[in-house]
Amino acid sequence: MDLDFTPQQQAFRAEARAWLHDHIPTAPLKSYDTREGFEQHRAWEAKLAEGGYSSVTWPKELGGRGANLIDWLIFEEEYHAIDAPMRVNQNGILLLGPTLMEFGTVEQKARFLPRMARCDDMWAQGWSEPNAGSDMANIASKAVRDGDEYVINGQKIWSTRAVFANWLFGLFRSDPQSVRHHGLSYLLVPLDAKGITIRPIVALNGKQAFAEVFFDDVRVSIANRIGEEGQGWNVAMATAGFERGLLLRSPARFQRTAQRLVELYRRHQASADRDPSIREGVLKAWMDAEAYNLASYYTVGRLLKGGRIGAEASTNKIFWSELDLQMHETAIRILGPRAELIDDPEVRDWLEGFLFAQAGPIYAGSNEIQRNIIAERVLGLPKS
Amino acid sequence: MDFTFNEEQLALRDSVSRFLMNEAAPELLREIWETGGGRAPELRAKFAQQGVTALSVPEAYGGLGLADVDWALITEELGYYAIPDSLADTVYVATGLLCAVPEAESLRAQWLPGIAAGTARVSIEHPVNPWVADAHLADLVLAFRTEADGILELHALAGAGLARSAIGSIDGSRRLSVLAQQPLDASTRLLRGEAARTIAEATLDRATVAVAGQLVGLAQRMLDLSVDYAAQRKQFGRPIGSFQAVKHHLADVVTRIEFARPVLYRAALALQRNERDRAALVSHAKLACAEAAWTAARKGIQVHGASGYTWEVDLQMFMKRAWVLDAAWGDRGFHKARLGEALLRDDAPLGPAATLY
């Protein structure tokens, strides 16, 4: 056990810090759930890609810098320490990217990954359907094979980023006779294809964070299928593992929030201490953010020695989503009656974060589903 | 940067685990709990044969000289098997204390070989513990005592000369003594003032890591017992472990354990390297591990149903150990206050890249 960064790791940290310091947008970007903000974020990510920091763990030839997971953690620390913008293309870079890396053909990787790294393409999720949310094997949208194309009909919902993105990845039923998780295929669909209708859904924060996507005889090439026909479930489960596991939520983000929470508490300590449980909440936030950081380095250590992240990824998802909620709840309680003032500069980010944190225990597989996964696959308890 | 254990560390942990699985089975624990003595001399002898008592004694005194990080893994096993012995106090905490005091050379020569051989027991009196564990059996008591003038002193007291009464604990294998009334004079004094305070803090941190390790080991044991029970106990014609409400209790315990262990290991390393944030990291480890253990106890008894409230199930022994260790070497109030102080300092290390450096 040795927690000292090597000279190479320290050099990488210094390089990333200097680059971010020189290139960070001078004014905060607008929300990426608005057209203007989306384009601002896209420009920022293109700049990030120019510097080689868009996806540091990817191979160089695909737009990354071939860094290992410790370097990734280091980069994330520097990224969040300087309050760089949230990543608008995380669907692509964090979910689809690793999936293509593992299951994509050479042609698919070359076709999609460099464009993704530069944000030439922006990706939306196409998992959930009105009757297939937590019960994702209940997918009904059909992709019927017609020569070397699939013809897609059906509906997706809660498609994050779909309002402004130009591509969607998701699961479709390619074998009409199949049930549950059999007979599904993992397809990449251009959102400007004929027959697609997108209807935005307004989220708690008043913005178009996700959408319904309707497919009416939409044709996509079989070259857009990842993995074998009918094997989409296995591919998607790998993606879900990335989502819940290490990569979706780097610990630095929560450490930065915990730091801001401590600073907020110190500024308002006199009023906050009238409720003694607030100090306890601040302490808990800091402890859990640190624990999440340590657990991430501990997991990375095992992965670098050849281990694989399995159903334990579900404990991560529960932990960070509940931590995020707890931190923001504590901030709202510190702010007291001011917390509703949406235009107050000290309040705004906390309030936005508080609203978004409400979704954490729901998205990427609800925490109830994660608890079932832990019980069945880690503890070996019988299925319900 | 490598936050993993090496093969030797894991192999040693596994061998201690196998040994305890055979020698400290729940049947033996129960016998010891129910026969009043609270201790099994033959178990202590087996520990010595296995070399466990010699692990942290320096090689010059016949031991293996293991460091704090190695010990963190061993303390998890001591907790997992709820060994009926305050072994860690003697062979880890007291050994560390004796090794850290330059003035204790003659004490080292006198006691360390016996500790390594498993024949000497040492207890520690410290201001954070109102009672001293196992003092009634101790051959040597190392006592931190605040004198009438308010200055901290460290005394080395021969066990034979102490008036000791053993007070029972809800943990049937634990005995406590009150030593504080006994007046001390300069003849037994090892250290005084700042030097005593520095050693007292290091001792507290080492003991706290040992307790935290035992707590997370206890949490894992209670989880395993509860999973076994949930898989075999049937209600409504099905194992209760197939019910989502039961699953979710146990999944919460897994999550608490997963996010306590790395904190424990980080604290052990801070101790080993005497890092600047040692105290905060150690307090964090104790709080995280205590929460894991108390969650495992509460969820464990719920999953066991009415059986969980009986003397007969093994769970009770592990629950009671977890309950008492929660307040040993600083209760949660103590550690939260200490952590809170560190966190709200002007120069507190906060934010990304501030805590691993």
Side-chain angles (χ1 to χ4, degrees):
Chain A
M1 188 170 297
D2 163 20
L3 297 188
D4 296 319
F5 294 104
T6 64
Q8 288 86 345
Q9 287 164 344
Q10 285 168 339
F12 174 65
R13 182 188 293 284
E15 189 191 324
R17 181 178 296 180
W19 189 91
L20 286 164
H21 182 266
D22 290 346
H23 294 85
I24 189 98
T26 46
L29 307 186
K30 292 208 160 63
S31 163
Y32 49 50
D33 292 324
T34 62
R35 171 57 71 187
E36 191 189 355
F38 187 81
E39 292 307 331
Q40 287 176 344
H41 277 81
R42 201 166 169 155
W44 159 246
E45 300 231 4
K47 194 183 278 180
L48 206 54
E50 259 173 51
Y53 293 105
S54 166
S55 40
V56 295
T57 58
W58 292 12
K60 285 200 171 100
E61 62 274 20
L62 297 174
R65 58 168 64 219
N68 75 11
L69 286 170
I70 291 186
D71 286 333
W72 172 72
L73 285 165
I74 290 171
F75 174 73
E76 291 290 306
E77 286 171 359
E78 295 305 320
Y79 194 84
H80 289 284
I82 198 170
D83 290 329
M86 293 283 287
R87 303 294 298 273
V88 64
N89 206 10
Q90 49 188 316
N91 282 335
I93 287 167
L94 302 180
L95 304 183
L96 179 59
T99 308
L100 275 166
M101 230 54 99
E102 191 165 335
F103 297 96
T105 63
V106 174
E107 292 75 24
Q108 285 173 331
K109 289 181 199 177
R111 179 178 163 205
F112 292 111
L113 290 172
R115 288 181 59 80
M116 188 188 292
R118 292 191 303 267
C119 273
D120 294 344
D121 294 329
M122 300 291 265
W123 288 86
Q125 282 197 54
W127 295 139
S128 299
E129 298 184 3
N131 290 312
S134 289
D135 181 13
M136 211 173 84
N138 204 23
I139 279 169
S141 290
K142 289 187 179 58
V144 177
R145 184 79 173 261
D146 178 21
D148 55 5
E149 286 184 325
Y150 289 101
V151 181
I152 302 177
N153 281 284
Q155 180 193 353
K156 294 287 178 183
I157 194 168
W158 317 126
S159 294
T160 305
R161 299 289 95 75
V163 181
F164 304 120
N166 58 327
W167 279 88
L168 172 142
F169 57 91
L171 279 186
F172 299 88
R173 196 162 290 285
S174 53
D175 175 0
Q177 308 305 320
S178 65
V179 292
R180 305 300 297 163
H181 54 277
H182 304 285
L184 298 170
S185 290
Y186 194 119
L187 301 179
L188 309 179
V189 185
L191 284 173
D192 58 0
K194 190 167 165 292
I196 287 183
T197 308
I198 295 171
R199 192 184 76 81
I201 301 173
V202 178
L204 276 187
N205 63 2
K207 302 197 175 82
Q208 299 175 356
F210 40 42
E212 288 176 286
V213 184
F214 299 89
F215 302 83
D216 181 12
D217 285 336
V218 175
R219 303 183 80 89
V220 300
S221 162
I222 57 169
N224 288 13
R225 188 189 68 226
I226 305 181
E228 296 301 310
E229 183 170 284
Q231 295 300 309
W233 181 261
N234 298 335
V235 180
M237 285 304 103
T239 305
F242 302 132
E243 183 173 22
R244 292 164 196 155
L246 199 60
L247 291 172
L248 181 62
R249 291 287 175 260
S250 57
R253 171 177 150 169
F254 300 109
Q255 288 182 295
R256 178 70 184 120
T257 306
Q259 178 182 18
R260 288 172 51 232
L261 184 66
V262 170
E263 290 160 359
L264 182 75
Y265 169 71
R266 294 184 66 156
R267 282 199 300 278
H268 300 280
Q269 192 167 352
S271 62
D273 279 349
R274 291 176 304 161
D275 176 350
S277 70
I278 285 181
R279 186 185 171 100
E280 172 114 23
V282 173
L283 209 56
K284 180 172 167 53
W286 182 82
M287 283 195 287
D288 284 354
E290 282 306 307
Y292 185 56
N293 181 41
L294 292 169
S296 298
Y297 274 95
Y298 188 59
T299 302
V300 162
R302 284 182 294 134
L303 293 176
L304 290 179
K305 282 190 170 173
R308 279 185 76 85
I309 196 161
E312 308 92 298
S314 292
T315 58
N316 261 35
K317 201 276 156 157
I318 293 172
F319 198 79
W320 62 247
S321 60
E322 294 184 355
L323 164 62
D324 202 33
L325 199 51
Q326 188 265 335
M327 285 197 286
H328 284 91
E329 284 171 353
T330 304
I332 294 298
R333 291 170 57 214
I334 291 171
L335 290 164
R338 274 180 65 219
E340 67 176 295
L341 304 179
I342 186 68
D343 293 323
D344 182 323
E346 194 187 31
V347 173
R348 194 188 303 120
D349 286 351
W350 286 113
L351 204 43
E352 284 279 342
F354 174 72
L355 295 177
F356 185 59
Q358 304 302 317
I362 299 164
Y363 67 77
S366 73
N367 287 8
E368 286 78 8
I369 295 290
Q370 308 304 332
R371 288 184 168 91
N372 289 350
I373 291 171
I374 294 165
E376 288 163 20
R377 298 193 214 152
V378 179
L379 300 179
L381 288 170
K383 284 196 174 285
S384 304
Chain B
M1 157 67 72
D2 177 17
F3 197 178
T4 60
F5 292 95
N6 62 37
E7 307 231 327
E8 294 83 58
Q9 288 168 323
L10 295 172
L12 177 66
R13 188 266 314 268
D14 291 346
S15 84
V16 169
S17 178
R18 275 194 302 277
F19 163 72
L20 291 171
M21 191 190 303
N22 294 324
E23 301 294 343
E27 301 75 50
L28 175 72
L29 294 192
R30 184 171 292 282
E31 202 179 299
I32 289 166
W33 275 53
E34 290 174 358
T35 48
R39 286 291 170 270
E42 65 284 3
L43 184 63
R44 185 71 164 223
K46 284 177 182 162
F47 273 121
Q49 275 166 20
Q50 182 72 13
V52 176
T53 51
L55 291 179
S56 59
V57 172
E59 290 172 47
Y61 299 98
L64 287 174
L66 285 195
D68 300 291
V69 169
D70 307 285
W71 253 95
L73 280 178
I74 304 297
T75 55
E76 279 184 74
E77 300 305 316
L78 301 182
Y80 190 85
Y81 294 99
I83 58 138
D85 200 315
S86 59
L87 189 80
D89 282 359
T90 293
V91 306
Y92 174 57
V93 184
T95 299
L97 194 169
L98 288 171
C99 291
V101 178
E103 293 83 349
E105 183 46 48
S106 66
L107 286 175
R108 282 194 282 278
Q110 188 183 348
W111 293 105
L112 290 180
I115 290 174
T119 53
R121 285 177 181 276
V122 188
S123 288
I124 302 162
E125 183 187 338
H126 192 284
V128 297
N129 292 325
W131 299 280
V132 185
D134 268 13
H136 66 300
L137 301 173
D139 304 296
L140 171 71
V141 174
L142 296 166
F144 290 98
R145 187 75 62 84
T146 306
E147 291 307 300
D149 54 6
I151 293 176
L152 191 70
E153 296 187 345
L154 171 61
H155 291 260
L157 311 171
L162 293 171
R164 299 168 290 183
S165 57
I167 307 168
S169 160
I170 189 171
D171 177 333
S173 70
R174 193 170 150 92
R175 299 289 182 279
L176 303 156
S177 299
V178 184
L179 300 178
Q181 300 92 332
Q182 299 177 24
L184 303 179
D185 59 45
S187 66
T188 57
R189 190 166 72 207
L190 259 183
L191 295 173
R192 180 173 162 78
E194 188 58 22
R197 199 187 56 77
T198 303
I199 295 292
E201 280 173 15
T203 300
L204 167 71
D205 285 344
R206 183 166 285 108
T208 303
V209 166
V211 171
Q214 292 176 70
L215 282 165
V216 83
L218 283 159
Q220 184 66 51
R221 182 59 171 274
M222 289 187 277
L223 173 66
D224 290 353
L225 289 170
S226 304
V227 167
D228 288 349
Y229 186 83
Q232 53 90 10
R233 167 72 173 163
K234 290 201 168 92
Q235 292 278 268
F236 308 102
R238 295 156 58 190
I240 61 169
S242 68
F243 298 127
Q244 185 160 273
V246 172
K247 284 181 173 162
H248 288 194
H249 283 318
L250 297 173
D252 285 339
V253 179
V254 176
T255 304
R256 276 291 145 199
I257 293 173
E258 286 276 305
F259 287 90
R261 276 207 181 99
V263 183
L264 168 71
Y265 303 149
R266 177 72 187 90
L269 187 70
L271 195 60
Q272 187 168 314
R273 306 201 298 196
N274 195 19
E275 292 178 32
R276 62 167 194 229
D277 304 318
R278 186 189 76 192
L281 288 161
V282 167
S283 285
H284 184 187
K286 173 83 187 291
L287 291 164
C289 294
E291 189 181 348
W294 272 43
T295 305
R298 179 80 270 285
K299 305 284 190 179
I301 195 170
Q302 192 69 27
V303 166
H304 275 76
S307 299
Y309 187 66
T310 66
W311 188 268
E312 276 72 30
V313 292
D314 291 339
L315 179 73
Q316 61 117 347
M317 295 185 285
F318 300 93
M319 268 190 326
K320 287 171 181 168
R321 177 67 53 86
W323 290 337
V324 303
L325 288 186
D326 184 61
W329 292 100
D331 57 20
R332 290 197 218 186
F334 174 87
H335 287 290
K336 277 183 188 168
R338 198 165 76 139
L339 186 58
E341 227 170 81
L343 187 60
L344 296 171
R345 272 195 336 250
D346 285 334
D347 60 345
L350 293 173
T355 48
L356 284 173
Y357 36 84

